[in-house]
Structures are given as C-alpha cells and as structure tokens.
Amino acid sequence: MDDLTVEPATDIALDDLTDLYASVGWTAYTGAPDVLRAAVAGSSFVVVARRGGRLVGLARALSDDATICYLQDVLVRPDEQRTGVGRALLTAVLDRYAAVRQKVLLTDDEPGQRAFYESLGYAEIRDFGPGTLRAFVRFDG
Ligand SMILES: CC(C)(COP(=O)(O)OP(=O)(O)OC[C@H]1O[C@@H](n2cnc3c(N)ncnc32)[C@H](O)[C@@H]1OP(=O)(O)O)[C@@H](O)C(=O)NCCC(=O)NCCS
C-alpha cells in the first residue's frame, strides 16, 4: 500500500474536494460546490491526507491564532477509516494550534465520533456537569 502523507494544503482541486465530501455523504457541501470551495479557501488551516496522490482525508479549522480554534470538518474516506488517518489529521491541527487553549467543535451525536474526539482529548460539554458550560448554536437557512 502506498505511504500516507499528511500535509497542510492551500490549493486543492474542487473535483477532489467534492469527491471526498461525497464519499462521506456530506451533500450539504457537495450540493453547493462554490460554497465548499469558499469554505476551504477561507479556513485558517487546512490539512489533507493523501495516499498515492489520492485525497483520502481532510481537516480544517478556523482560528484567531490566539484564543480559539474551531474545528469545522474532519473527514476520511470510508475505505480509509479506522487506519489512523483521522487521528493524523486532527493531530496536525492540534499541533498547529498548540498555543491556543480553547478548542471547540460541533458534531453529530454518534458513538463513533464521541470515541474519536475523546481519543484526541476533547470532552463533551455535558460531561462537565450542570452549572459549568453551555453551548449555543443558531442555524440560518
Ligand atoms: C470520524 C472520522 C474522521 C474518524 O477518522 P478515522 O480515520 O476513521 O479515525 P482513526 O482511525 O484515526 O481513529 C482514531 C481513534 O478514534 C476512535 N474511533 C474512530 N472511529 C471510531 C468508531 N467508528 N467507533 C469507535 N471508535 C472510533 C478509536 O479510538 C480510534 O483508535 P483505534 O482505531 O486505535 O481504536 C471518520 O470516521 C469520518 O470521516 N467519518 C465521517 C465524517 C465525520 O463524521 N466526521 C466527523 C464530524 S466533523
């Protein structure tokens, strides 16, 4: 099997992006390729995983590089999942923002995702207990 590379990226072909996002069923992105292009281009940090040149995973974060690092996407092609690609991608983001204390994200309520993020040091808000933290979100459209 070809070696895996995990590197920051600035210029990713839109076809490769839509193919990767489609592989995990994220139709909200693939149905609006221009939005996907803008989202990736406007991210503070994007890291991609490639195997034999093929795009197999991506993570992207938004940050002020001082107080907050928001992880927006981490995704790995189904045929590459559970081989450490997601961990390598998120580790690259966490290393890049090692000096930033507060790291947050929003994700679906699925056991695999909880296990994944917990394995990388994230904790769910609900686990801090009552009277500690609250998270708010507003979706427009
Ligand atoms: C979530 C996701 C990014 C994880 O990537 P991955 O490459 O499969 O994860 P890794 O192989 O690096 O797993 C690292 C650790 O996380 C945990 N983990 C990951 N996926 C898991 C699952 N489905 N069930 C239980 N634990 C899981 C395990 O502890 C794993 O270590 P192990 O394999 O040695 O037990 C991937 O499943 C994915 O792309 N899912 C679809 C998109 C998505 O939902 N993204 C997250 C929301 S933004």
Side-chain angles (χ1 to χ4, degrees), residues 20 23-26 56-58 71-78 80-89 105-108 110-120:
L20 174 65
S23 77
V24 296
W26 284 359
V56 297
L58 177 148
L71 184 78
Q72 176 59 5
D73 295 337
V74 53
L75 63 158
V76 175
R77 282 185 185 282
E80 291 274 352
Q81 289 177 9
R82 294 309 293 270
T83 65
V85 177
R87 173 183 294 279
L89 288 165
L105 64 91
L106 194 64
T107 191
D108 296 326
E110 291 173 5
Q113 293 183 2
R114 179 177 167 116
F116 174 67
Y117 288 117
E118 285 186 342
S119 80
L120 284 146

Side-chain angles (χ1 to χ4, degrees), residues 35-47:
V35 174
L36 176 58
R37 187 208 310 266
V40 171
S43 297
S44 310
F45 184 65
V46 182
V47 59

Side-chain angles (χ1 to χ4, degrees), residues 51-131:
R51 198 183 296 280
R54 179 189 188 220
L55 187 65
V56 297
L58 177 148
R60 63 189 187 93
L62 306 173
S63 177
D64 59 10
D65 229 347
T67 64
I68 180 75
C69 171
Y70 187 89
L71 184 78
Q72 176 59 5
D73 295 337
V74 53
L75 63 158
V76 175
R77 282 185 185 282
D79 61 355
E80 291 274 352
Q81 289 177 9
R82 294 309 293 270
T83 65
V85 177
R87 173 183 294 279
L89 288 165
L90 193 40
T91 298
V93 172
L94 295 173
D95 288 351
R96 165 65 184 81
Y97 292 107
V100 175
R101 177 171 176 266
Q102 188 171 319
K103 298 183 173 84
V104 297
L105 64 91
L106 194 64
T107 191
D108 296 326
D109 185 9
E110 291 173 5
Q113 293 183 2
R114 179 177 167 116
F116 174 67
Y117 288 117
E118 285 186 342
S119 80
L120 284 146
Y122 285 80
E124 281 202 59
I125 293 277
R126 67 181 80 161
D127 293 339
F128 284 87

